Structures are given as C-alpha cells and as structure tokens.
Amino acid sequence: MGSMVTEQATTNEELADFDTLTGRYQRELMAHCYRMSGSVHEAEDLVQETFLRAWKASASFQGRSSVRTWLYRIATNVCLTNLESKPRRPLPTGLGTTDSAPSDELVESHEVPWLEPIPDAAVEVAERDTIRLAFVAALQHLPARQRAVLILRDVLRWSAAETATALDTTTAAVNSALQRAHAQLAERGLTPDTVQPQLDGEKQRLLDAYLEAFWRKDIDRIVQLLTYDATWDMPPFENHYRGCTAIGELIGTKCPGGTHDMPMIATTANGQPAFGLYMRQPDGHFEPFHLQVLQTTGSGDELRVEHVTAFFDGRLFPRFGLPDRLPADYVPVAAT
C-alpha cells in the first residue's frame, strides 16, 4: 500500500512540473509523432497539442499507467485525428511510377505532401532503424490506424491489450490490424532495413570521398561510390532514378554546378549520414541547394552508397543547423 502511495505522489509531482515533463518527453514524443505523420512541421504541432491536452487533463489522471504511457496514448490519438482525410506522405520512389531516364524532363510537384527528413537532434529513439527514411516511408503506405498499431506494437513494444486500450478497441482488432499491416508492407517490399552500425572509420572514409567527389564534380568517382543498382530521388521532383550510371549522368547533365561549385557540409538525418549541398552563385558565394540523406550498404572494399534522397528545400538547412550561405573562399574539409 505504501509503495502505491509513493508512486502516486511521484506521479503527481511529475505532472505538477510541466516544464520538466515537457523537457523529459519532448524528443521521444517528437519521434512518435514524426513516424505517424511523416512531417517534422506537423510533428512539432502534434507534440504541442499532446502536452496541451495532457495539461488540461492532468487533474483527472488516475495513475493506472505511467505518465509516459499516458502521454503516448494522448499523442497517438492526436495524430489519428490529425491524419483524418489527409493523404500519405511519399517519397518519389514510392509513387509507383517507373524510373526516369537522365534525359527526361524534370517534373516538379508542390501538390504532393512529401515525406520530410528529421534532424537526429530533434528526436530520441532507442532503436535508430525505426526513424530511418525507409521505415517512415514504409509506414506511409498504411492506413492511419494500422500505422498506429504497428508503431505501438512493433516499435514501442506495447502488448495487444495496452494498444487496444490506447486506441479504444479490442485486442482481436489490434492483432488483426497488425497482421494486415505486416502483410501490406511485405507485399510492397517495404519492410524496414535493419539498423546500420554507428559511423566507423570505413564509413567515414566513404563519406569523405563522396564529399570530395562532389566538390570536384568527378562523375566517374561518384559512380564508383554508388552500388550498381543505387537509387536516387529528389522531392519535390517526381522523377526517381535507378542505377549508378543513370545517377552519374543525371548529376553530370542536370546539376548546374561545375568543379569547385558544390561544397557539402556533413550532418545527420533520420539516424543516417546526410549532407547539406551548396551551390556557387554568380557573385561567388554559395547558397543552399539541397539536403542529401544517404543510405549505405556493405563493408570494407564493398562499402557503397545504395540510396540518396536529395530534398530540394532550402528551409531545411537552418533546421539542421546548417549555414544559410557560405563565403566564396569556402573549401570543404574532409573529416579524416
């Protein structure tokens, strides 16, 4: 009995100090809302709405679960309400269209609500693979409630009973939804990749070589650093490309910069290596061009880049702590 009273007192103290509560759970709830929505901007609003609802309901919290579980329940239902009648957020490779040829006209679409990358610093995740672009993109193919069930069961490791309580449904419905979600992802070949190891010396050398190849616009070298069947997409353009040769031709013919026109600054996004690529302007200085998020595969001499998503949205640069411009005499420096 005494322990129950102590736990309730601790819970009451936690709810009473909302600034501390927000700081404690902000980043992990951000990851949760991002997985659900596929949008950093929406996720920020959803987290704020979660805390607002929690604050309003704090007096009626009865301690039948932990505060953390309670917040996740609120956040999940906030996300489900937000997703009603909203289209999914794809990447170009997920549109179901055929690969583009480098000579094809670029088709830009601002009508599509594209999937957005998220800075690692904005989220807290125990398992990095659950925030990777491939996994979040896969989730976007699921109806909202199936998406919620899969996240609660497979990512947060909640029981079917806990998930049913959070979604106000039955355990049988939860198990059925999870089965359908798994089947739909498997049918589309969208099962999430396994988590990659932390950045080591081999991967850092690959990234340094990649940065140097773009700075010199060495197309042959860029092609060498890609897998044979590498893929490339670049929202808001609907075009996507397959094969290192096609990607090399794309960069060689459609990318406006020349030698020493494209410096890159390293960052991380979705638990993956990323680069902010800048483009030289007529007066000599550099301005943001696109943010590349890289997926690598292999090890040793076989380590290569297998997928690149280049986000053409200069508004992402300040979000990732990247400068809004670089001076004309800027020269990129490899990490090694």
Side-chain angles (χ1 to χ4, degrees):
M1 181 69 177
S3 62
M4 291 179 62
V5 172
T6 301
E7 287 177 11
Q8 185 63 49
T10 301
T11 296
N12 291 339
E13 290 175 6
E14 189 173 16
L15 289 175
D17 187 353
F18 237 76
D19 288 340
T20 300
L21 185 77
T22 301
R24 181 175 301 161
Y25 297 109
Q26 172 86 25
R27 293 174 68 235
E28 62 175 291
L29 288 175
M30 183 70 177
H32 181 61
C33 293
Y34 172 70
R35 292 188 196 98
M36 286 290 295
S37 68
S39 166
V40 181
H41 300 86
E42 285 186 20
E44 289 175 336
D45 291 341
L46 293 168
V47 171
Q48 293 309 308
E49 177 64 19
T50 296
F51 283 124
L52 178 61
R53 291 193 188 185
W55 179 74
K56 291 180 177 179
S58 59
S60 61
F61 179 69
Q62 298 179 350
R64 292 173 181 164
S65 67
S66 67
V67 171
R68 180 176 181 270
T69 298
W70 180 61
L71 288 172
Y72 269 101
R73 287 176 183 168
I74 295 172
T76 301
N77 284 285
V78 166
C79 289
L80 288 173
T81 300
N82 175 70
L83 290 170
E84 288 178 0
S85 304
K86 280 193 174 182
R88 66 186 179 90
R89 287 182 170 271
L91 290 174
T93 47
L95 292 176
T97 55
T98 58
D99 305 335
S100 300
S103 57
D104 290 347
E105 180 182 356
L106 292 175
V107 179
E108 188 171 4
S109 175
H110 291 284
E111 307 273 324
V112 177
W114 299 106
L115 181 66
E116 299 171 357
I118 192 167
D120 283 9
V123 295
E124 179 180 325
V125 288
E127 298 172 335
R128 292 170 59 244
D129 52 340
T130 67
I131 207 70
R132 289 165 60 80
L133 273 179
F135 181 65
V136 180
L139 290 174
Q140 295 298 304
H141 289 267
L142 300 175
R145 287 185 71 83
Q146 283 186 25
R147 197 182 307 172
V149 167
L150 186 139
I151 292 170
L152 294 176
R153 295 283 283 117
D154 287 2
V155 176
L156 298 181
R157 305 289 192 251
W158 284 19
S159 69
E162 288 174 314
T163 303
T165 299
L167 300 178
D168 193 22
T169 187
T170 65
T171 55
V174 165
N175 290 332
S176 177
L178 183 62
Q179 186 176 18
R180 292 197 304 275
H182 286 161
Q184 187 168 346
L185 293 186
E187 181 181 345
R188 291 175 175 269
L190 294 172
T191 50
D193 296 329
T194 55
V195 65
Q196 293 180 315
Q198 294 287 345
L199 190 65
D200 57 17
E202 287 182 348
K203 186 177 289 187
Q204 187 61 65
R205 284 188 288 275
L206 171 70
L207 299 177
D208 289 346
Y210 189 82
L211 176 149
E212 180 65 22
F214 269 87
W215 177 237
R216 292 188 285 114
K217 201 175 184 179
D218 184 341
I219 302 301
D220 290 341
R221 183 59 174 147
I222 292 173
V223 169
Q224 290 173 1
L225 297 171
L226 302 172
T227 61
Y228 177 78
D229 58 349
T231 51
W232 177 288
D233 56 3
M234 46 187 196
F237 298 98
E238 296 181 9
N239 310 64
H240 56 96
Y241 306 86
R242 180 174 296 277
C244 58
T245 302
I247 295 170
E249 185 178 342
L250 171 74
I251 297 169
T253 59
K254 294 288 177 68
C255 193
T259 302
H260 296 171
D261 284 342
M262 296 184 291
M264 298 200 295
I265 296 179
T267 184
T268 55
N270 297 78
Q272 300 169 237
F275 287 105
L277 186 147
Y278 294 76
M279 188 65 66
R280 191 182 295 276
Q281 302 302 302
D283 68 355
H285 80 279
F286 303 94
E287 292 190 356
F289 189 61
H290 64 226
L291 180 83
Q292 292 188 21
V293 181
L294 278 59
Q295 181 173 314
T296 62
T297 187
S299 60
D301 293 340
E302 301 301 317
L303 185 61
R304 296 286 187 278
V305 176
E306 66 175 347
H307 183 78
V308 177
T309 304
F311 293 91
F312 280 78
D313 185 350
R315 296 172 300 176
L316 293 172
F317 278 59
R319 185 175 292 278
F320 281 81
L322 296 168
D324 59 2
R325 62 180 285 155
L326 298 174
D329 60 354
Y330 180 84
V331 176
V333 179
T336 56

